[in-house]
Amino acid sequence: MVIDMHVHPGFIAEIAGDPERVAFRRKHFGLYKQHIWPLKLALMQMEAAGIEKAALMPEDLTTGCGDTIVSNEEIRQLVDLAPERFIGFASVDPHRPDAEETLEYAFEQLHLSGLRMNPSTQRFRPNDGIAEPLYELCMRYNRPVVLDMGMSLEPDAPSKYALPVLLEDVLLQYPQLRVCASHFAFPWVAETAALMLRYRNLYADTALLYFDSPKGFFDQVFNRQLGSHWLDRTLRKQVMFASNYPRIEQSRMAEALRSLELRPSTLDLIFGGNAETFLGGEGK
Amino acid sequence: MVYQQKITVLSGKSTDLVKITRRIKQIVEKAGIRSGIVAVVTLHTTTGITVNEGLDCLESDIGAFMRKIVPDDDSYAHAHWLPTYGRTSANAVSHLRSLLTGNHCVFPVCEGKMLLGAAQDIYLAEYDGPQSREISVSVIGD
């Protein structure tokens, strides 16, 4: 099972019928020239990349920008169109007065599989008290949390909110909460790796491409910035494949991961086994 | 007289040769032009339009030739963050391969039909799929 743990679905035609909403997405998500294409094509692209399931990420910017980039309801709509291919996450702006109710609704009524937040665009530090009720809801519903950490490629997104060390308080306070530092918190990948060594409930995903080609950048990060054996020996049960599609093609990111010299069993874990654990919470 | 139509092709693989001969023939016959030319032009920079014999073995050889001339992994300047797009370009190979097949083909139109050699097929060459691709078909004549 190959699972892509970080996919942005805002330009899939089935939820992109409103031109004003698409313009909002282009501006606030920062993917300025992205075409709209049908779900059928998105599924063909997954197929060509050998990806069986994709975790769809919404983003709630209600208090900062007045709307969501993709709403929880739109995520549900897409999951219903291809339930065997999509895993739907919820997003909640923690500054919303109804943040807890919104997340509870997403878990209880929309049956979404986890919480995704972007501290940089949503302007909160992960260890702020403001997010605590949301973490507690995730604990109560046994849902994981994906946090976009490190330098965000979205506009108007200061990195100071997304330093990986800010996760440490959360990991200490909620040792049973499964947390993913998305984008491996680039450029703070060594700090992220160190936290993963210490906290087994911290995961990171491979949705990182900031320079060069996917293969070149993965070589830089996973063989040079990190020790070339760290993924294979130490972090093998805490890293999840993710593409950040459509900022880059899924097939190229999957090829980049395969180009690293990892044991087949490690590749299996990173491509899907770890995501299954992260999503379902089975013991590692 | 000019008759123009766009067709859309959903390519199913990262690199692919998709036969479009029958669709072009149908457009020419529908155009109502007895004598002239038909121009088939791709509207993309990571595809090509090419003409060759429609055999699986040749399609395989063309793919191998492309990979040899333009290797998958090389030090391409195009592999970098594009601020105006908000994404990374990692498809230099697709652009370079598209150079080799060009963006169009032209055939004569005689007695209302496209004049095609017995071995000739028209292909959309996909170098960056799967994608939804648009092709412009212009039938020009009397």
Side-chain angles (χ1 to χ4, degrees):
Chain A
M1 170 77 76
V2 176
I3 301 173
D4 182 344
M5 278 300 293
H6 204 106
V7 164
H8 300 282
F11 300 95
I12 293 177
E14 280 74 357
I15 60 163
D18 176 355
E20 279 184 29
R21 190 144 172 71
V22 172
F24 179 91
R25 282 177 186 156
R26 288 199 176 109
K27 178 181 175 188
H28 291 285
F29 186 62
L31 201 51
Y32 305 107
K33 299 185 182 183
Q34 179 63 38
H35 298 295
I36 305 298
W37 52 54
L39 175 62
K40 180 183 176 186
L41 179 58
L43 294 174
M44 286 168 69
Q45 291 173 335
M46 282 175 63
E47 194 74 32
I51 293 165
E52 289 157 84
K53 290 196 169 195
L56 305 182
M57 298 296 167
E59 189 163 347
D60 183 354
L61 301 179
T62 303
T63 61
C65 301
D67 204 346
T68 59
I69 289 176
V70 173
S71 71
N72 297 338
E73 286 76 10
E74 287 168 326
I75 294 290
R76 182 70 252 166
Q77 187 184 337
L78 288 173
V79 173
D80 286 341
L81 289 170
E84 72 288 358
R85 306 304 299 274
F86 291 144
I87 301 155
F89 270 66
S91 179
V92 178
D93 178 344
H95 297 290
R96 284 173 69 141
D98 62 346
E100 286 173 69
E101 294 87 333
T102 303
L103 185 59
E104 193 151 22
Y105 177 80
F107 289 162
E108 191 79 51
Q109 303 298 321
L110 301 177
H111 304 291
L112 297 178
S113 302
L115 170 64
R116 181 254 176 155
M117 292 193 289
N118 187 335
S120 294
T121 58
Q122 293 176 325
R123 294 288 200 281
F124 74 100
R125 288 177 175 79
N127 57 349
D128 277 349
I130 196 169
E132 278 182 18
L134 304 178
Y135 299 144
E136 279 161 19
L137 268 175
C138 287
M139 292 286 295
R140 196 189 327 153
Y141 284 88
N142 190 27
R143 299 290 206 277
V145 184
V146 172
L147 292 160
D148 287 52
M149 301 302 288
M151 195 191 78
S152 176
L153 294 174
E154 295 181 38
D156 195 18
S159 300
K160 65 182 179 184
Y161 295 102
L163 302 173
V165 73
L166 300 175
L167 294 175
E168 191 160 18
D169 290 335
V170 180
L171 298 165
L172 277 167
Q173 190 173 346
Y174 302 102
Q176 302 305 315
L177 179 65
R178 301 182 301 282
V179 177
C180 174
S182 193
H183 318 298
F184 228 107
F186 180 86
W188 296 284
V189 293
E191 289 85 339
T192 305
L195 286 169
M196 291 163 78
L197 181 71
R198 178 68 183 79
Y199 302 98
R200 305 299 286 178
N201 55 325
L202 178 63
Y203 294 70
D205 73 35
T206 67
L208 70 164
L209 178 59
Y210 295 82
F211 297 93
D212 304 325
S213 66
K215 283 183 187 172
F217 191 63
F218 274 27
D219 178 53
Q220 173 66 26
V221 170
F222 296 116
N223 289 328
R224 298 166 204 267
Q225 277 187 271
L226 304 182
S228 58
H229 299 295
W230 293 9
L231 286 194
D232 211 17
R233 292 178 183 169
T234 306
L235 306 176
R236 64 200 303 266
K237 292 190 175 179
Q238 291 162 273
V239 177
M240 300 185 286
F241 169 70
S243 69
N244 215 19
Y245 169 93
R247 285 201 199 275
I248 186 68
E249 291 76 21
Q250 292 167 304
S251 58
R252 292 194 167 99
M253 294 299 272
E255 281 170 25
L257 182 59
R258 288 190 187 98
S259 74
L260 298 174
E261 288 182 20
L262 300 172
R263 283 176 286 166
S265 61
T266 301
L267 269 182
D268 286 346
L269 287 168
I270 295 176
F271 266 125
N274 293 338
E276 288 179 297
T277 305
F278 180 77
L279 292 162
E282 292 92 26
K284 286 191 286 181
Chain B
M1 180 179 168
V2 179
Y3 178 87
Q4 289 185 306
Q5 187 176 331
K6 278 185 194 168
I7 61 172
T8 302
V9 175
L10 273 184
S11 58
K13 293 188 276 188
S14 58
T15 58
D16 206 0
L17 285 167
V18 183
K19 280 181 192 155
I20 55 172
T21 319
R22 195 168 56 184
R23 294 178 72 178
I24 306 302
K25 277 183 181 172
Q26 287 169 350
I27 291 169
V28 170
E29 287 165 19
K30 194 170 76 176
I33 289 172
R34 300 290 299 165
S35 177
I37 58 168
V38 55
V40 183
V41 182
T42 172
L43 301 182
H44 306 276
T45 56
T46 54
T47 62
I49 299 289
T50 193
V51 177
N52 218 300
E53 187 164 4
L55 298 174
D56 291 350
C57 51
L58 277 172
E59 291 172 5
S60 172
D61 287 340
I62 291 167
F65 173 75
M66 289 291 176
R67 287 191 293 277
K68 192 171 173 183
I69 298 292
V70 185
D72 285 333
D73 299 311
D74 208 335
S75 183
Y76 296 111
H78 187 53
H80 68 103
W81 170 251
L82 291 171
T84 55
Y85 282 72
R87 58 160 291 155
T88 297
S89 55
N91 61 351
V93 291
S94 316
H95 288 283
L96 297 176
R97 286 171 186 166
S98 82
L99 290 177
L100 300 174
T101 39
N103 76 332
H104 70 279
C105 72
V106 177
F107 276 93
V109 175
C110 296
E111 296 178 2
K113 293 184 185 300
M114 183 164 61
L115 186 58
L116 202 65
Q120 287 183 310
D121 259 305
I122 305 172
Y123 287 98
L124 169 76
E126 173 62 79
Y127 301 116
D128 199 13
Q131 271 293 356
S132 177
R133 300 302 198 174
E134 283 199 317
I135 299 163
S136 166
V137 183
S138 302
V139 190
I140 305 161
D142 301 316

